[in-house]
Amino acid sequence: MFWLLLACAPTEDTGTEVQDTGERYEYIPPDCDEHGVGFDGADPPSVGDTWTVWATCDGSALLGAAVIRVDPTDMAFQDNNELTWSKPGEVEIMAQSGQQRGYLTVTIQE
C-alpha cells in the first residue's frame, strides 16, 4: 500500500495564475411574443392519427425537457411527445419547455 501512496505524489506547480476579472455573464432567455404548440401530423386529425407535438416560442421549436398534457386526458394515448387520438371531440393540448408554456385547441374527427 505504501507504494501506491508514492505513485500519487503531487504534480509540479506550473506557476500559471488565474485572475478574477470581476466580469459576470448571466444568460437571460429571450422573451416570447407568442407561445404555442407545434405539431407534425394530419391536419385536421382523425381518431387513430398520431401527432408529434412540441412547445414553440415565436414559431420556433423549444428544445430540452418538455411536458405535454391533453385535456380531457382520455382523448389521446400519450407516449412521450407523441399523441394518438382515441376519440372524436375537442381537446386542449398544453406543451411546456422550461417556463415557456403554449396551448392549442384541436377538434378530432371520426
Side-chain angles (χ1 to χ4, degrees), residues 4-53:
L4 290 175
L5 292 175
L6 287 178
C8 296
T11 59
E12 182 180 324
D13 185 7
T14 61
T16 304
E17 199 172 303
V18 177
Q19 294 180 350
D20 185 359
T21 62
E23 296 178 28
R24 302 285 185 250
Y25 296 99
E26 181 181 346
Y27 174 74
I28 299 172
D31 289 333
C32 291
D33 291 327
E34 185 179 330
H35 297 94
V37 176
F39 65 89
D40 182 27
D43 188 20
S46 298
V47 173
D49 289 344
T50 298
W51 273 19
T52 303
V53 297

Side-chain angles (χ1 to χ4, degrees), residues 71-91:
D71 184 31
T73 57
D74 63 345
M75 294 290 291
F77 298 106
Q78 184 173 352
D79 183 18
N80 294 319
N81 67 328
E82 289 187 347
L83 302 173
T84 302
W85 306 115
S86 59
K87 55 168 76 169
E90 190 172 276
V91 63

Side-chain angles (χ1 to χ4, degrees), residues 54-57 60-66 96-100:
W54 56 88
T56 62
C57 171
S60 297
L62 294 173
L63 303 178
Q96 178 178 344
S97 183
Q99 295 180 345
Q100 312 291 336

